[in-house]
Each structure stands twice: as C-alpha cells, then as structure tokens.
Amino acid sequence: MYRLLLQSTAVSQAMGRWANFVGEFDEVFGYSYLGDVFLRNPSSGQCAVLFTVNPEIVPLGMNSITAFIESFLAHPETKRLILKEEKVVEIETRLGSLDDGEIFIPVPFPFMGGDSSVASYKKGNFFTYVELVGGWQDIEPSRAVGT
C-alpha cells in the first residue's frame, strides 16, 4: 500500500516542482501506491503527508520515520482512508503488483473528468506522476532547481 525509499531524497532533486509548496518538509522518504508523498523536515525530523490531488501538506506529530511507520501507516484509519488498502488490492488484482518506482494512476485524473473507479487505473512512474499532477494543478516550479 506504500513504498519507502531506500534513501531519503531532497524534494528539489526528486520532485522539483513541489519544492516551494512543501516548504521545510523538503525530504521525500516514501509514497503511497496511489501517489501521496511522505515527507520529512530534516531539521526537526517531523513527518508530513503531501496529498498530490487537491494539493495539501499535512504535518503530523511524529518526529521520526519509525514513528510515522508504526503510529501513522499502521493505524486502521490511515489504511482505510489514506492508503485505501481495499481499493489498492482490487487494482492490484486487476493489474498485477507494482515494480519499484511505480504507482497506480487513475486515467483520466479526477480533476480532468475521471471517476477514480478501479477500472480506470493504470500503472505509471511515481516521480513522473508527481511532476505531471503538480503541473496540471498549477504548482509553480521552484526557481532554485533551474526550472
């Protein structure tokens, strides 16, 4: 239902368009199979979730990735409402398991008229998805990364 990166990466390197939007949460350490992003503030250790559709960053009361995994990702409400485990299982049954770097993407996106039904999903690259969905929602590219 989610993937953790082997090594955390700077937002400016991995998903530069979002660098200004995420502010101090400028380290990516994982993502959900449906494209939400797990971030960390490297100074404080505080974790947050970036919801990529209807963009919103939600800081959480966890100051370590371990606490994020054990308290947030393991929580039944997180599994149901954010990771959408039941839906992901249905999609995975239909499309097969994801490879590293892949997520399930609704085609077309809901904000472009799609319905997000299980049948609408396809596999796609996570970082490409994040860049595209940010652009389609007018997330301004960061000037700091040469865009």
Side-chain angles (χ1 to χ4, degrees), residues 64-79:
S64 75
I65 294 172
T66 301
F68 179 86
I69 294 165
E70 293 174 357
S71 298
F72 182 71
L73 292 178
H75 194 280
E77 289 298 299
T78 300
K79 291 179 179 184

Side-chain angles (χ1 to χ4, degrees), residues 14 22 36 45 52 66 68 73 91 96:
V22 301
D36 294 318
T52 55
T66 301
F68 179 86
L73 292 178
I91 297 167

Side-chain angles (χ1 to χ4, degrees), residues 30-63:
Y31 53 88
S32 77
Y33 282 5
L34 298 178
D36 294 318
V37 187
F38 308 147
L39 303 172
R40 189 176 82 90
N41 175 336
S43 297
S44 69
Q46 186 180 18
C47 296
V49 176
L50 169 64
F51 295 101
T52 55
V53 175
N54 299 318
E56 178 182 9
I57 188 161
V58 178
L60 302 169
M62 286 125 214
N63 288 330

Side-chain angles (χ1 to χ4, degrees), residues 24-25 29 31 36 41 54 64 67 72 95 112 120 130:
E24 62 193 18
F25 294 97
F29 68 89
Y31 53 88
D36 294 318
N41 175 336
N54 299 318
S64 75
F72 182 71
L95 298 177
M112 297 177 86
S120 75
V130 170

Side-chain angles (χ1 to χ4, degrees), residues 89-144:
V89 168
E90 288 182 60
I91 297 167
E92 201 167 41
T93 298
R94 191 174 140 281
L95 298 177
S97 298
L98 293 170
D99 289 333
D100 283 346
E102 286 186 325
I103 60 169
F104 296 121
I105 302 169
V107 178
F109 291 110
F111 56 83
M112 297 177 86
D115 63 7
S116 293
S117 66
V118 169
S120 75
Y121 281 81
K122 300 193 181 314
K123 292 180 183 181
N125 178 274
F126 166 70
F127 290 109
T128 301
Y129 161 83
V130 170
E131 191 64 21
L132 289 173
V133 80
W136 286 326
Q137 296 179 107
D138 295 324
I139 299 298
E140 290 296 322
S142 170
R143 300 287 176 228

